Amino acid sequence: MSYKPATFLPYSRQNIDDDDKQAVWDALGDDFLTTGPKVEEFEQALCEATGSQYAVACGNGSLALHLAVLTLDFQPGDAAIVPSLTFLATANAVRYCGADVIFGDVDPETGLMGVEDFEKALNEAQKKNLKVKAVLPVHLGGQCADVKAIHEIADAQNIAVIADGAHCLGAECYGENVGALPYTLMTTYSFHPVKTIATGEGGAIATNDKKLADKMRLLRSHAMEKRPNVGPWAYDMNDLGYNYRISDIQCALGLSQLKKVDDFIERRRELAGLYDSLLEPMAPEILTPKRAEYSNSAWHLYAPRFDFEALGITRAQLMEQLKERGIGTQVHYIPVHTQPYYKKLYGEIVLPGAEQYYSQILSLPLYPALSDDDVHYVVQTLKGILGK
Ligand SMILES: *Cc1c(COP(=O)(O)O)cnc(C)c1O
């Protein structure tokens, strides 16, 4: 094939147009660069995009997770269950609060923590004499974990379900917007440039609980409560808060990006369909991402599973050769329980589902500006390297 992309194809990237640039330019001329009206405007727009009643925007997706778990008031001896197949931030948020992480296993075909994995992790917690206060299912790649089934068990034991939705802005689960599900207390989002919309750095928590939203807004800004009856300068600090704010400049960009989010996701879904159709003949050495039937993915990632042994190539070799031909790939993710920090803390843990999923996946380029020709180029190049 003669088509060759003009530029390197990363595994993901932001989609910024002239309207976005204008929005940032205009925001720079506003009276407030931070703590101004754009933050609330962005939060309102996020409520619409996520279907939730309240949204709290903050500095990034990791901070969103921290703010969410902070509301649970963890005490020593408390724990939260986190699937091992996720980005570091999901587990770290729990550690910031001094609580322990119990790593859950995942389905080796989807990378999602299932209800049996959750129950196993609950047993682990019991063995360790830890009180589980929360479970943080991860909507990996934009596809939803079965939070309905998880919630049924969690709710009976007073365990909060907080979804890490960094990948799932615009995704649907059981026919509903992920951010509006009654099974999750909160869903956190990230607006890092590789995610569905970009604000540079940015994140948010969506919830239908006003008390939680109010609490997170306080914690986001040093828990300062105004005391106008004392004086116009006065404030009380009743809790230990942080500066986890997002700026008005970032929110202006976010507002502009949100106007296009439906188009972004539609294009991602088209591209995933195209990849599927081109890769299906390569089974069983390459398997297209397995779709959970209750979920309509937002396709943050397109990660087929490779049988590298049968293909006679290592993942590192394949990544290197694709890179030489202008194609970026990435691995999402290294199981967090295998990280040195967590090994030192909890010793050796075996989670076969996470380890198997990790050993097979590779994320191929996927972002709205990718053309159909680009996808054909990626698959042709892959076939060429693999001698197919
Ligand atoms: C990106 C990401 C985060 C963290 O978001 P940042 O905005 O980068 O801090 C958390 N969890 C998952 C699953 C992510 O992919």
Side-chain angles (χ1 to χ4, degrees):
M1 101 177 216
S2 52
Y3 173 82
K4 214 171 174 288
T7 55
F8 186 82
L9 307 176
Y11 88 83
S12 184
R13 62 161 288 142
Q14 69 276 15
N15 203 65
I16 301 290
D17 64 14
D18 286 344
D19 290 340
D20 296 321
K21 292 176 190 169
Q22 189 63 46
V24 171
W25 181 255
D26 291 346
L28 286 169
D30 285 347
D31 288 338
F32 295 94
L33 296 186
T34 189
T35 64
K38 282 279 183 289
V39 179
E40 215 181 299
E41 241 183 274
F42 182 46
E43 290 179 340
Q44 278 306 317
L46 280 171
C47 285
E48 258 171 60
T50 62
S52 67
Q53 278 178 277
Y54 308 96
V56 180
C58 61
N60 60 55
S62 306
L63 303 183
L65 283 160
H66 189 198
L67 285 172
V69 293
L70 270 171
T71 62
L72 300 178
D73 210 8
F74 280 116
Q75 303 296 320
D78 287 344
I81 291 170
V82 176
S84 180
L85 212 294
T86 183
F87 182 55
L88 305 169
T90 326
N92 292 354
V94 177
R95 294 295 302 144
Y96 300 153
C97 300
D100 275 302
V101 175
I102 303 286
F103 287 106
D105 206 0
V106 301
D107 180 330
E109 292 187 295
T110 60
L112 297 170
M113 182 172 69
V115 71
E116 300 86 10
D117 303 313
F118 172 50
E119 285 181 305
K120 265 191 203 153
L122 279 173
N123 286 338
E124 277 307 305
Q126 202 166 32
K127 274 191 235 161
K128 290 180 153 183
N129 252 329
L130 292 167
K131 183 177 181 318
V132 177
K133 266 201 169 165
V135 53
L136 283 76
V138 175
H139 297 322
L140 189 73
Q143 175 154 268
C144 305
D146 191 357
V147 285
K148 188 178 181 176
I150 289 171
H151 173 260
E152 210 171 289
I153 290 164
D155 199 42
Q157 303 186 35
N158 236 337
I159 296 169
V161 183
I162 300 174
D164 181 342
H167 299 177
C168 79
L169 185 64
E172 282 155 24
C173 199
Y174 325 112
E176 257 188 273
N177 195 321
V178 174
L181 296 174
Y183 316 110
T184 49
L185 193 59
M186 296 178 254
T187 302
T188 66
Y189 294 92
S190 164
F191 313 125
H192 182 279
V194 299
K195 308 283 164 69
T196 319
I197 63 161
T199 61
E201 295 281 354
I205 308 102
T207 182
N208 289 331
D209 188 316
K210 182 171 188 304
K211 266 197 190 143
L212 288 176
D214 287 344
K215 185 161 182 190
M216 290 187 286
R217 280 206 183 92
L218 274 179
L219 291 169
R220 175 179 67 180
S221 203
H222 290 292
M224 290 160 78
E225 294 184 65
K226 289 203 170 99
R227 295 289 309 277
N229 52 335
V230 177
W233 70 90
Y235 51 81
D236 280 349
M237 177 191 127
N238 292 303
D239 211 344
L240 185 62
Y242 303 81
N243 177 355
Y244 279 5
R245 294 185 301 259
I246 187 169
S247 72
D248 282 56
I249 307 165
Q250 291 164 306
C251 289
L253 178 54
L255 277 161
S256 176
Q257 286 267 292
L258 271 184
K259 287 183 189 151
K260 291 165 284 198
V261 68
D262 291 343
D263 296 339
F264 289 172
I265 293 164
E266 194 182 303
R267 182 62 187 150
R268 284 174 176 278
R269 286 184 178 143
E270 274 173 18
L271 290 165
L274 179 58
Y275 266 127
D276 272 358
S277 65
L278 297 175
L279 289 173
E280 262 152 20
M282 300 176 81
E285 280 99 344
I286 301 178
L287 294 171
T288 57
K290 189 179 168 190
R291 302 179 180 214
E293 78 283 357
Y294 55 82
S295 162
N296 185 12
S297 181
W299 290 105
H300 163 57
L301 299 172
Y302 189 84
R305 283 170 295 139
F306 293 74
D307 186 341
F308 291 106
E309 209 172 284
L311 289 164
I313 191 168
T314 68
R315 180 160 57 189
Q317 284 167 340
L318 180 59
M319 288 179 81
E320 194 51 48
Q321 290 186 37
L322 285 167
K323 191 177 159 201
E324 280 166 13
R325 291 159 179 81
I327 298 166
T329 55
Q330 191 49 272
V331 176
H332 300 95
Y333 294 93
I334 303 167
V336 182
H337 75 277
T338 66
Q339 291 296 343
Y341 167 84
Y342 283 105
K343 268 196 189 164
K344 208 161 105 188
L345 205 58
Y346 300 130
E348 289 285 342
I349 302 169
V350 181
L351 296 172
E355 281 151 43
Q356 189 187 329
Y357 181 81
Y358 163 64
S359 71
Q360 295 189 310
I361 31 113
L362 188 65
S363 300
L364 303 178
L366 184 68
Y367 46 91
L370 204 69
S371 68
D372 287 9
D373 282 342
D374 292 333
V375 172
H376 281 277
Y377 174 76
V378 171
V379 175
Q380 282 305 114
T381 307
L382 198 57
K383 283 183 175 173
I385 293 170
L386 300 173
K388 295 278 165 189

